[in-house]
Amino acid sequence: MTESSSFPGASQVLTLCKNIFSRIIKASDNVPQHVGLIMDGNRRWAKLKHVEIKEGHNAGFHSMSRALELCYEAGVSTATVFAFSIENFKRSSAEVDSLMNLARSGIKQVVQNGEMAQKFGIKINVIGDRKLLPDDVLREVEAAETITKDNKRAVLNICFPYTGRDELLHSIKEVVQATQLGDLASSDINEAAIDRHLYTGGSPPVDLLIRTSGVTRLSDFLIWQVSRRDVVIEFLDCLWPDFGSRQMAWILLKFAFSKSYATGETDPEDYDVEARGSPLKKHV
Amino acid sequence: MSKIKERVLRAQDDECKTSHRDKQRVSVVTNATRKSGKPGVTDVKGAVGSVLLTPPDSEAVRRKLESQKGVLGKSSGKIEFIFYKILLCVLYMLYACARYTQYHYNRAKILILNLAYSPSNTPQLIRQDVLKLQKLPKRLAAIVEKKREGDVGGGVSGVLNDGSDLVAWTISAGIKHLALYDFDGHLKRNVDEFRKSVFHKLTKYYDPSNVPKFAIRIPQWNKVYFNAPGQEADDTTSKKVAIEISLLSNRDGRETIIELTRTMADLCAQNEMQLSDITMKLIDSELTQLVGHEPDLLLYFGPNLDLQGFPPWHIRLTEFYWEQDNDQVTYSVFIRGLKKYAACKINVGK
């Protein structure tokens, strides 16, 4: 679903299709609540197309808007995107600078004239070790957060700069500190406590993770959240700038189908076979 | 900070003693065998039925629908809702058809691959496959699942058998470290049977007089076992082993991290430790001691990747491999995972 189609009115038809599709998915009542995105492959895409790396990142940004638009329309309440890893500071300073510029202008765009923020009422959170950000970017980030702080419908977490281990360390430290201050008894330290103190603490649990460009690693993204049982992990072969509404739609449909199918299947008789020691009777 | 490790281990030990009821706990979740998602006609019927017949639970949907009340009031919202439900069913049917084709394509592929790669109990064949590869993972991990009692290769004995197959292939491939993860810890609870099963499997692969030595480590209980029961290594020379196997379960994941946090909180309360002492390096070294090293490659033998609570700290850069719609522990998945690993390049951040 690209906008390159030259038929008059084609884009309207596409928008209509997208809207109908998202309503349909919404009606299934099996929409992921929190989607994680690893937007991998912008640089490889740029190399393949023989354009500057900057262009690749730009294309990636548009691709992200397309995917998120469909998600939010279909009723996803939170999305977390991996924009910049702490490890990315190892890249060439020119590229780091251009990424920072892109982030600055991107955040600006989303906040000021991007319809997305207004249309969906998106609240933007920038999560990660923000001490590492340059001052001007940090200012932009804070401005974006204050402008969107009253939006209630959906949340966009931008991980910038972030690693999963750093997040976990941060949470562990906060929990330990809370016990020191007497807010939490050490016997009350449990999974929920760690969850609360993660950067994604206020969000629903992650139930879908998407990574593009054929790499089957987490690369230190949401390690705590994604290693849970029943989190759907999708690894796609396409590069992130080529990831569009079509792929997103397919993933949402797949998710909804498998979840409605699973709820249809969960018959208690299936489970306590072992307890009763009775032979398994497959029910149809 | 060996104090930390001691404490965590002690805490885990106590927990282990008190958690006998855990053993009786019906493994509700395990038995929910992940069906390979084979979309038969009955499944579609089920899915469609559940879609049509169950009213929407979520508050959001209801609110949305209410907010869409048009001129016609409530009934138009209902009509619209039914309209979308019907469209959803149509979509589901189309999806099921596509999925059905995909499923059978994948199954056929797996079948052919299983025929193409067969270890036939000979380490030499595995060695030949491996020698073609550019690099091998130093540490391998695999997630095994207990299948339904009645199925082929189901129940605890199925898990033991899958585990010992993996051990035999890993030894033959020349990889020195293997971590086997199963959610409920069937392997570690039945460690003696597992040792026997591994030994038995190895006698099929190797000459009975020359069976490779192995060590089985259970990090949760801080125990190491050598070889099969009755053949324990008595002196230091025979403690040289061909492979070290760690048995992990859900407890080695999140719960160990929580235990570690609790211990550090206690130490901080007793002023034996400062908050600033908690660093990435400290947590990493503690978790390495308590659980093990991060694996380079994680093999999963289910139809869709599901990490099932695998220790989160340890999957930072781990490469995952699984075969879509596969539901068996087979050599073809093992060797194809190694091939995939040999072909990938890891660049941290760059």
Side-chain angles (χ1 to χ4, degrees):
Chain A
M1 288 194 190
T2 49
E3 284 91 85
S4 58
S5 176
S6 55
F7 290 109
S11 72
Q12 280 93 326
V13 172
L14 274 181
T15 328
L16 187 71
C17 283
K18 268 192 226 169
N19 280 338
I20 292 180
F21 178 81
S22 41
R23 294 259 173 90
I24 295 174
I25 288 291
K26 204 174 205 167
S28 80
D29 208 23
N30 280 307
V31 181
Q33 281 310 295
H34 187 166
V35 178
L37 295 174
I38 304 180
M39 307 177 290
D40 195 5
N42 291 340
R43 293 193 300 174
R44 249 174 290 164
W45 184 84
K47 258 179 220 158
L48 277 176
K49 301 251 160 172
H50 300 291
V51 292
E52 272 185 73
I53 287 179
K54 213 173 87 190
E55 290 301 309
H57 288 305
N58 267 328
F61 177 76
H62 289 295
S63 183
M64 180 186 90
S65 321
R66 279 200 304 269
L68 288 181
E69 200 181 329
L70 192 69
C71 282
Y72 289 137
E73 272 284 351
V76 173
S77 73
T78 311
T80 302
V81 298
F82 202 4
F84 196 84
S85 161
I86 294 175
E87 313 279 354
N88 287 152
F89 280 112
K90 288 184 197 159
R91 291 182 181 178
S92 75
S93 67
E95 199 193 339
V96 171
D97 281 349
S98 88
L99 272 171
M100 288 292 164
N101 275 328
L102 178 74
R104 209 167 37 207
S105 65
I107 290 170
K108 229 182 203 162
Q109 198 182 334
V110 170
V111 174
Q112 285 176 353
N113 48 7
E115 325 80 72
M116 237 172 52
Q118 282 160 18
K119 190 165 147 201
F120 300 109
I122 294 172
K123 184 178 158 190
I124 293 179
N125 280 328
V126 175
I127 60 178
D129 194 356
R130 300 190 350 184
K131 291 193 294 291
L132 298 171
L133 290 178
D135 283 342
D136 53 336
V137 178
L138 192 61
R139 241 174 287 133
E140 212 64 64
V141 161
E142 278 163 359
E145 286 185 341
T146 22
I147 292 170
T148 58
K149 74 175 191 304
D150 295 324
N151 289 341
K152 292 251 153 49
R153 253 202 77 201
V155 179
L156 173 63
N157 294 320
I158 304 174
C159 298
F160 185 62
Y162 169 96
T163 60
R165 282 192 176 183
D166 178 67
E167 181 183 32
L168 203 46
L169 174 71
H170 169 86
S171 170
I172 290 174
K173 278 180 118 167
E174 275 198 352
V175 169
V176 172
Q177 198 172 25
T179 56
Q180 271 182 326
L181 296 173
D183 297 336
L184 189 76
S186 86
S187 56
D188 287 343
I189 296 177
N190 53 17
E191 207 176 315
I194 302 258
D195 265 330
R196 262 199 313 280
H197 288 276
L198 290 173
Y199 294 134
T200 56
S203 313
V206 179
D207 39 16
L208 173 65
L209 178 93
I210 301 170
R211 176 170 196 163
T212 50
S213 88
V215 177
T216 52
R217 283 189 295 275
L218 292 180
S219 298
D220 219 344
F221 182 59
L222 300 179
I223 43 174
W224 174 271
Q225 294 92 327
V226 166
S227 64
R228 283 208 175 90
R229 229 167 213 272
D230 290 330
V231 175
V232 176
I233 303 174
E234 295 281 351
F235 290 110
L236 280 88
D237 282 333
C238 70
L239 299 175
W240 179 255
D242 296 327
F243 182 88
S245 326
R246 201 156 41 93
Q247 283 90 341
M248 195 67 230
W250 177 257
I251 290 174
L252 287 176
L253 181 61
K254 191 172 166 187
F255 186 92
F257 184 85
S258 62
K259 292 283 161 173
S260 358
Y261 167 37
T263 44
E265 274 286 313
T266 42
D267 196 304
E269 276 194 41
D270 254 15
Y271 297 142
D272 29 356
V273 175
E274 202 179 311
R276 289 200 228 115
S278 59
L280 183 91
K281 211 48 176 191
K282 169 96 173 69
H283 70 103
V284 180
Chain B
M1 288 278 170
S2 61
K3 205 183 281 169
I4 300 182
K5 191 191 173 192
E6 247 169 58
R7 283 202 179 204
V8 175
L9 279 171
R10 208 184 311 143
Q12 280 183 337
D13 236 20
D14 292 345
E15 220 178 305
C16 158
K17 275 170 207 147
T18 54
S19 70
H20 269 295
R21 70 192 124 86
D22 263 22
K23 293 193 184 179
Q24 277 129 36
R25 179 178 55 127
V26 192
S27 46
V28 174
V29 234
T30 348
N31 261 352
T33 351
R34 255 135 263 271
K35 291 263 226 68
S36 30
K38 182 181 172 177
V41 181
T42 46
D43 304 336
V44 180
K45 227 193 309 177
V48 167
S50 78
V51 164
L52 273 177
L53 301 177
T54 34
D57 286 333
S58 109
E59 200 51 41
V61 176
R62 209 172 303 141
R63 225 182 302 128
K64 174 88 186 162
L65 285 170
E66 268 162 27
S67 72
Q68 282 172 351
K69 272 187 283 184
V71 202
L72 294 169
K74 242 182 181 161
S75 62
S76 99
K78 245 186 196 149
I79 292 171
E80 203 182 332
F81 179 70
I82 291 169
F83 172 68
Y84 284 126
K85 279 283 187 192
I86 291 169
L87 278 184
L88 180 69
C89 291
V90 174
L91 263 192
Y92 272 10
M93 279 177 209
L94 289 177
Y95 173 80
C97 293
R99 189 67 190 86
Y100 187 80
T101 340
Q102 194 189 26
Y103 174 80
H104 282 281
Y105 171 76
N106 285 336
R107 294 298 288 193
K109 195 176 94 184
I110 290 164
L111 206 71
I112 293 167
L113 286 171
N114 284 346
L115 288 177
Y117 296 108
S118 164
S120 38
N121 295 351
T122 25
Q124 285 77 17
L125 280 181
I126 299 177
R127 189 52 60 91
Q128 260 174 31
D129 283 338
V130 167
L131 279 177
K132 291 176 208 150
L133 304 176
Q134 300 243 309
K135 62 170 177 178
L136 271 180
K138 273 202 189 69
R139 295 166 193 283
L140 185 69
I143 299 176
V144 286
E145 264 176 305
K146 187 174 151 233
K147 300 202 181 95
R148 280 165 201 264
E149 213 63 61
D151 288 2
V152 180
V156 176
S157 61
V159 178
L160 296 179
N161 187 44
D162 287 346
S164 22
D165 268 334
L166 280 162
V167 172
W169 300 331
T170 312
I171 292 184
S172 311
I175 298 168
K176 297 254 184 294
H177 301 273
L178 172 70
L180 290 173
Y181 176 90
D182 75 300
F183 187 88
D184 289 290
H186 293 295
L187 286 175
K188 55 171 110 165
R189 276 188 221 150
N190 302 300
V191 66
D192 282 338
E193 282 99 289
F194 182 58
R195 285 159 71 194
K196 272 183 223 154
S197 162
V198 168
F199 183 77
H200 184 71
K201 188 69 78 183
L202 289 177
T203 51
K204 282 188 185 164
Y205 276 72
Y206 292 89
D207 190 50
S209 60
N210 194 22
V211 171
K213 302 257 181 293
F214 57 91
I216 293 182
R217 203 165 68 89
I218 301 182
Q220 191 192 336
W221 303 328
N222 203 17
K223 287 210 172 107
V224 183
Y225 300 91
F226 287 94
N227 304 325
Q231 301 174 11
E232 282 90 350
D234 28 20
D235 50 82
T236 40
T237 46
S238 53
K239 283 198 174 168
K240 271 186 103 174
V241 291
I243 189 169
E244 188 200 55
I245 306 148
S246 323
L247 303 182
L248 303 176
S249 74
N250 189 34
R251 277 181 184 270
D252 297 292
R254 255 165 256 280
E255 293 198 33
T256 300
I257 294 179
I258 291 160
E259 203 64 63
L260 179 66
T261 313
R262 204 175 288 148
T263 312
M264 289 194 297
D266 288 342
L267 284 172
C268 281
Q270 293 156 11
N271 272 328
E272 289 182 40
M273 200 179 165
Q274 302 295 315
L275 190 63
S276 56
D277 290 338
I278 304 176
T279 56
M280 188 80 84
K281 224 175 131 190
L282 174 76
I283 293 185
D284 193 40
S285 73
E286 289 304 326
L287 286 175
T288 309
Q289 282 186 44
L290 287 166
V291 181
H293 290 271
E294 181 178 352
D296 299 309
L297 172 66
L298 175 64
L299 298 172
Y300 178 65
F301 296 93
N304 287 303
L305 184 64
D306 182 344
L307 295 173
Q308 314 207 350
F310 193 89
W313 191 267
H314 296 81
I315 45 170
R316 190 171 78 109
L317 297 174
T318 305
E319 181 84 27
F320 304 129
Y321 188 81
W322 78 106
E323 199 83 58
Q324 230 207 326
D325 289 324
N326 164 58
D327 57 356
Q328 275 171 339
V329 178
T330 54
Y331 176 69
S332 73
V333 176
F334 176 85
I335 192 69
R336 278 164 58 82
L338 292 185
K339 280 189 178 164
K340 167 96 189 287
Y341 178 81
C344 79
K345 102 175 197 280
I346 298 183
N347 32 14
V348 183
K350 293 196 175 174

